[in-house]
Amino acid sequence: MLPRIAITPGDLAGIGPEIIYRTLQDSRLLRFCTPVLYGTAATLFDEFPQDKQHAPLAFRQVREAADIVEGKINAVTCWDDEDFVLTPGEPTEASGRAARLALLAAVRDLKAGLLDGLVTAPISKDNTQGEGFNFPGHTEFLAHHFSKHNDSLMLLVAEDLRVATATGHIPLKDVPARLTPEVLSGKLRMLLHSLRHDFGIAKPRVAVLGLNPHAGENGLLGREEQDLVQPVIQQFLQEGHLVYGPYPADGFFGTRQYQQFDATLALYHDQGLIPFKTLAFERGVNYTAGLPVIRTSPDHGTAYGLAGKFAADPTSFREALYLACDLIKNRAAAQ
């Protein structure tokens, strides 16, 4: 059976419906997975295609995921069309509610074993808030539902470039206090496990970045590297893992030293995401590692300014969908 991949549309006023539509236009996708869109096709795609060279998509609308069929694009109803009057580029309470309902329905069906993976289009973290979703983003929401310890790992992927973050959506001023030996060790173990079981790398090499400029300059610019990062790295080396660092982030990416490693662990959000998006914005994928389910997403946001213009690049979303297929296959082979 082909993997059954749930697709949530994100904020309907953003570019989510467009990048989904343009991705699903390629019928070759049905050779690799069974797409299951959460939402009603009429709401999402009534205005498509604006590109008259392409025919409208054919959906199989169902009430329950138990009724999806292989070889078709399926859509699971999780709201009523009449509830929504949507204007591209203008997020509303209704568009946020739709994003929330789609996520809750997809998680319900993932837990029930009716799906094999999830690909999420971008949400507005602000207007998605509501009953069932009171989280900074998808990553924390999914960790709450699928992790025993309410934890996961944000891992950005673009072919052989992989960048993870030890801390996620928190204010920069809170990062030093949040970084403890237990947190750093836990994130490293998640990363190493994912590289082996999800990406099929038998003996992964991992680089860890420093927190301070120049990785602390031997304590002159901060002691987190000496007091926290180096002892954790030494522990992993003694266990036989190929973990190295801490490296100054600017020189590490500027000299392309990351190419010597299978993955890099940044210590905070922007330290990892700024270089990653500079190097691979159009094709980058966000993978939530450390969970029992596979979830990927494009590495960009709602892009309200592009919505409705049929100008959004679907590459990142397409890569997210194909990566989900690969990860499901790799994880099954590792069992």
Side-chain angles (χ1 to χ4, degrees), residues 61-122:
Q61 192 79 48
V62 297
R63 282 284 173 184
E64 299 179 352
D67 296 327
I68 64 177
V69 298
E70 194 170 287
K72 302 287 185 181
I73 302 173
N74 299 265
V76 176
T77 301
C78 51
W79 64 67
D80 295 324
D81 285 346
E82 57 267 21
D83 289 346
F84 302 103
V85 178
L86 301 171
T87 302
E90 298 182 15
T92 64
E93 182 180 348
S95 67
R97 177 173 173 268
R100 187 167 66 249
L101 290 175
L103 282 169
L104 291 169
V107 163
R108 174 199 67 205
D109 292 340
L110 276 167
K111 287 181 174 180
L114 300 173
L115 304 165
D116 300 300
L118 169 66
V119 181
T120 59

Side-chain angles (χ1 to χ4, degrees), residues 8 42 47 62 95-96 101 130 137 143 163 184 221 247 260 264:
T8 55
E47 301 304 318
V62 297
S95 67
L101 290 175
V163 179
L184 188 56
L221 302 177
Y247 295 99
Q260 301 172 21
T264 301

Side-chain angles (χ1 to χ4, degrees), residues 12-335:
L12 304 188
I15 61 172
E18 178 181 331
I19 58 177
I20 294 170
Y21 168 82
R22 297 181 69 180
T23 297
L24 296 181
Q25 281 180 325
D26 189 345
S27 60
R28 292 175 296 180
L29 180 67
L30 296 176
R31 303 176 192 170
F32 301 97
C33 70
T34 299
V36 186
L37 179 66
Y38 277 74
T40 61
T43 298
L44 292 169
F45 300 115
D46 265 353
E47 301 304 318
F48 291 99
Q50 294 183 27
D51 181 351
K52 302 302 182 183
Q53 296 179 1
H54 297 286
L57 289 170
F59 282 83
R60 186 174 184 273
Q61 192 79 48
V62 297
R63 282 284 173 184
E64 299 179 352
D67 296 327
I68 64 177
V69 298
E70 194 170 287
K72 302 287 185 181
I73 302 173
N74 299 265
V76 176
T77 301
C78 51
W79 64 67
D80 295 324
D81 285 346
E82 57 267 21
D83 289 346
F84 302 103
V85 178
L86 301 171
T87 302
E90 298 182 15
T92 64
E93 182 180 348
S95 67
R97 177 173 173 268
R100 187 167 66 249
L101 290 175
L103 282 169
L104 291 169
V107 163
R108 174 199 67 205
D109 292 340
L110 276 167
K111 287 181 174 180
L114 300 173
L115 304 165
D116 300 300
L118 169 66
V119 181
T120 59
I123 60 172
S124 164
K125 294 176 176 61
D126 178 37
N127 83 328
T128 305
Q129 301 296 318
E131 184 179 356
F133 191 100
N134 295 289
F135 301 91
H138 282 113
T139 302
E140 294 82 2
F141 169 75
L142 293 166
H144 170 78
H145 280 281
F146 291 102
S147 171
K148 293 180 181 178
H149 304 289
N150 199 27
D151 199 11
S152 62
L153 180 73
M154 182 187 296
L155 178 57
L156 285 300
V157 181
E159 299 169 352
D160 291 335
L161 172 63
R162 304 178 189 90
V163 179
T165 60
T167 57
H169 297 116
I170 62 173
L172 185 58
K173 66 181 178 62
D174 296 338
V175 168
R178 192 70 63 89
L179 282 171
T180 64
E182 292 76 20
V183 166
L184 188 56
S185 296
K187 297 297 185 179
L188 269 172
R189 293 198 189 281
M190 271 190 228
L191 179 56
L192 289 165
H193 183 272
S194 181
L195 292 170
R196 289 192 297 266
H197 294 271
D198 298 336
F199 293 89
I201 302 171
K203 194 71 173 175
R205 291 172 53 87
V206 173
V208 181
L209 300 182
L211 178 66
N212 298 295
H214 305 292
E217 200 75 78
N218 294 320
L220 180 65
L221 302 177
R223 292 195 53 85
E224 284 83 0
E225 289 75 15
Q226 294 171 306
D227 297 342
L228 168 66
V229 182
Q230 288 176 359
V232 170
I233 290 174
Q234 189 59 38
Q235 172 192 343
F236 276 80
L237 286 171
Q238 289 174 354
E239 294 175 5
H241 300 293
L242 304 180
V243 178
Y244 304 98
Y247 295 99
D250 54 352
F252 181 83
F253 286 104
T255 61
R256 299 187 180 273
Q257 197 171 2
Y258 61 86
Q259 294 177 337
Q260 301 172 21
F261 298 92
D262 297 300
T264 301
L265 181 65
L267 298 189
Y268 57 93
H269 184 280
D270 283 12
Q271 185 186 52
L273 269 68
I274 289 174
F276 180 86
K277 291 189 177 185
T278 300
L279 293 165
F281 185 76
E282 292 183 351
R283 67 185 193 283
V285 176
N286 179 8
Y287 171 46
T288 305
L291 299 179
V293 297
I294 298 294
R295 177 261 174 166
T296 63
S297 72
D299 72 344
H300 56 69
T302 53
Y304 292 124
L306 285 178
K309 298 178 180 178
F310 215 74
D313 188 340
T315 302
S316 183
F317 185 86
R318 184 185 305 119
E319 292 294 323
L321 192 50
Y322 280 113
L323 179 62
C325 296
D326 290 341
L327 294 174
I328 291 167
K329 185 187 305 181
N330 292 344
R331 188 174 283 190
Q335 291 179 348

